[in-house]
Amino acid sequence: MLFRSIQWMLTDNLEFNASMARLDAQISKDATLFPRSQYPFTVLKGTTLPVSPDFKANLALQYNVPVQWFGADPYLRIDYSYTGESYSSIGSEAVIADNAPSRQDNYMLVDLGMGLDAEGWSAQFYIDNLLDERAEQFFNNRWGSRRLSINAPRSAGVSFRKNFRSEEH
C-alpha cells in the first residue's frame, strides 16, 4: 500500500488538501473457503480482495473569508473524491455456485460547503454529491438474485454544532 497526503496554505486564506492511496490488496496464500460446506472453493494466492479499489484520492480546497460574520470565521469549501474500480467478491462464494464476482466501476464525488466556525459553535450549509453520481458500491450476487447498493443521491442540508464542554477542568 502506498499512501500520500499533503496540506498546503496557498495564500493566507486559501488551503489545499490532497491525499491518495494505491492498494495492492491480495490474498497472500492459497486458501479453501467454506471447507465443510456443500460448496467449498479454493482462492489462489494473488487474488484481489473484494471491495478494495486499486486507487483512491481526495482533493479539497477551502477559502477562509478574511472577515468575521456573527462573531465567526466564514469559509467556502469544495471536496472531490475518486474511488477506483473494485470487485464485489473473491469468487463464487454464494450458496448457489457459478456467481462470478462483479466489477464495480470507478466513481467520483463532489461536495460543496459554506459555513461559519466560532469558538463553541459552528454552522454549515452543504451539498453532498453535487453531480448526483450513482456509484456502484456493492453488487450482491448471493442467494440467486443480483442486488446493487449505491451511494446516497445528491442531498443538501444545514448542520449546526454547539460545544457544551466547559473549558475549566
Side-chain angles (χ1 to χ4, degrees), residues 21 26 39 47 56-57 61 66 77 93 100 104 131 133 137 143 150 165:
Q26 297 179 353
Y39 299 103
T47 300
K56 290 188 81 153
L61 195 61
R77 183 177 178 95
E93 68 207 51
Q104 296 153 173
L131 304 175
E133 175 78 15
Q137 293 186 317
W143 315 111
I150 62 171
R165 228 178 340 170

Coordinates of all heavy atoms in Angstrom, one line a residue, residues 21 26 39 47 56-57 61 66 77 93 100 104 131 133 137 143 150 165:
A21 N -4.2 7.0 -2.1 CA -3.7 5.7 -1.7 C -3.8 4.7 -2.9 O -4.8 4.7 -3.6 CB -4.6 5.2 -0.6
Q26 N -4.3 -8.2 -1.9 CA -4.4 -9.6 -2.5 C -4.3 -10.6 -1.4 O -3.7 -10.4 -0.3 CB -3.2 -9.8 -3.5 CG -3.3 -8.9 -4.7 CD -2.1 -9.1 -5.6 OE1 -1.2 -9.9 -5.3 NE2 -2.1 -8.5 -6.7
Y39 N -20.4 -26.2 -0.8 CA -19.8 -25.5 -1.9 C -18.4 -24.9 -1.5 O -18.2 -23.7 -1.6 CB -20.6 -24.4 -2.5 CG -22.0 -24.8 -3.0 CD1 -23.1 -24.7 -2.3 CD2 -22.1 -25.4 -4.2 CE1 -24.4 -25.1 -2.7 CE2 -23.3 -25.8 -4.7 CZ -24.4 -25.7 -4.0 OH -25.6 -26.1 -4.5
T47 N -5.1 -13.4 -5.6 CA -6.5 -13.0 -5.9 C -6.8 -11.7 -5.2 O -6.5 -11.5 -4.0 CB -7.5 -14.1 -5.4 OG1 -7.2 -15.3 -6.1 CG2 -8.9 -13.6 -5.7
K56 N -7.5 5.4 -4.6 CA -8.4 6.3 -4.0 C -7.7 7.6 -3.9 O -6.5 7.7 -3.6 CB -8.9 5.9 -2.7 CG -9.8 4.7 -2.7 CD -10.4 4.4 -1.3 CE -11.5 5.4 -1.1 NZ -12.6 5.0 -0.3
A57 N -8.4 8.7 -4.1 CA -7.8 10.1 -4.0 C -8.9 11.1 -3.5 O -10.1 10.9 -3.7 CB -7.3 10.5 -5.3
L61 N -10.4 22.1 -1.4 CA -9.9 23.5 -1.5 C -10.9 24.3 -0.6 O -12.1 24.2 -0.7 CB -10.0 24.0 -2.9 CG -9.3 25.3 -3.3 CD1 -7.8 25.2 -3.0 CD2 -9.6 25.6 -4.7
P66 N -11.7 36.5 5.0 CA -10.9 37.2 5.9 C -11.7 38.2 6.8 O -11.1 39.1 7.4 CB -9.9 37.9 5.1 CG -10.5 38.1 3.7 CD -11.4 36.9 3.6
R77 N -16.0 25.8 0.8 CA -15.1 24.6 0.6 C -15.7 23.7 -0.5 O -16.9 23.6 -0.7 CB -15.2 23.8 1.9 CG -14.3 22.6 1.9 CD -14.3 21.9 3.2 NE -13.5 20.6 3.1 CZ -12.3 20.5 3.5 NH1 -11.6 21.6 4.0 NH2 -11.6 19.4 3.4
E93 N -18.5 -17.4 -4.0 CA -18.7 -17.8 -2.6 C -20.2 -17.9 -2.3 O -20.5 -18.2 -1.1 CB -18.1 -16.7 -1.7 CG -18.8 -15.4 -1.8 CD -17.8 -14.2 -1.5 OE1 -16.8 -14.2 -2.1 OE2 -18.2 -13.4 -0.7
A100 N -20.1 -15.3 -10.6 CA -18.8 -14.7 -10.7 C -18.8 -13.3 -10.1 O -19.9 -12.7 -9.9 CB -18.5 -14.5 -12.2
Q104 N -17.1 -3.4 -10.0 CA -17.8 -2.2 -9.6 C -17.0 -1.0 -10.2 O -15.8 -0.9 -9.9 CB -17.9 -2.1 -8.1 CG -18.8 -3.2 -7.6 CD -18.5 -3.6 -6.2 OE1 -19.2 -4.4 -5.7 NE2 -17.4 -3.2 -5.5
L131 N -23.0 16.4 -8.2 CA -23.2 15.9 -9.6 C -24.2 14.7 -9.6 O -24.5 14.2 -10.7 CB -21.9 15.6 -10.3 CG -20.9 16.7 -10.3 CD1 -19.6 16.2 -10.9 CD2 -21.4 17.9 -11.0
E133 N -24.0 11.6 -8.7 CA -23.3 10.4 -9.2 C -24.0 9.2 -8.6 O -24.3 9.1 -7.4 CB -21.9 10.4 -8.8 CG -21.1 9.2 -9.1 CD -20.7 9.0 -10.6 OE1 -20.8 10.0 -11.3 OE2 -20.4 7.9 -11.0
Q137 N -21.4 0.7 -5.4 CA -20.6 0.4 -4.2 C -20.5 -1.0 -3.8 O -19.6 -1.5 -3.2 CB -21.0 1.3 -3.0 CG -20.8 2.8 -3.3 CD -21.1 3.6 -2.2 OE1 -22.1 3.5 -1.5 NE2 -20.2 4.6 -1.9
W143 N -27.6 -15.8 -3.0 CA -29.0 -16.3 -2.9 C -29.8 -16.2 -4.2 O -31.0 -16.0 -4.2 CB -29.7 -15.6 -1.7 CG -28.9 -15.5 -0.5 CD1 -28.4 -14.4 0.0 CD2 -28.4 -16.6 0.3 NE1 -27.6 -14.7 1.1 CE2 -27.6 -16.0 1.3 CE3 -28.5 -18.0 0.2 CZ2 -27.0 -16.8 2.3 CZ3 -27.9 -18.7 1.2 CH2 -27.2 -18.2 2.2
I150 N -25.9 1.4 -4.0 CA -25.3 2.6 -4.5 C -25.1 3.6 -3.4 O -25.7 3.4 -2.3 CB -26.1 3.2 -5.7 CG1 -27.5 3.6 -5.2 CG2 -26.1 2.2 -6.8 CD1 -28.2 4.4 -6.3
R165 N -19.0 21.7 26.3 CA -17.9 21.3 27.2 C -17.4 22.6 27.9 O -17.1 23.6 27.3 CB -16.8 20.7 26.4 CG -16.3 19.5 27.0 CD -15.2 18.8 26.2 NE -15.2 19.2 24.8 CZ -14.2 18.8 24.0 NH1 -13.2 18.1 24.5 NH2 -14.2 19.2 22.8

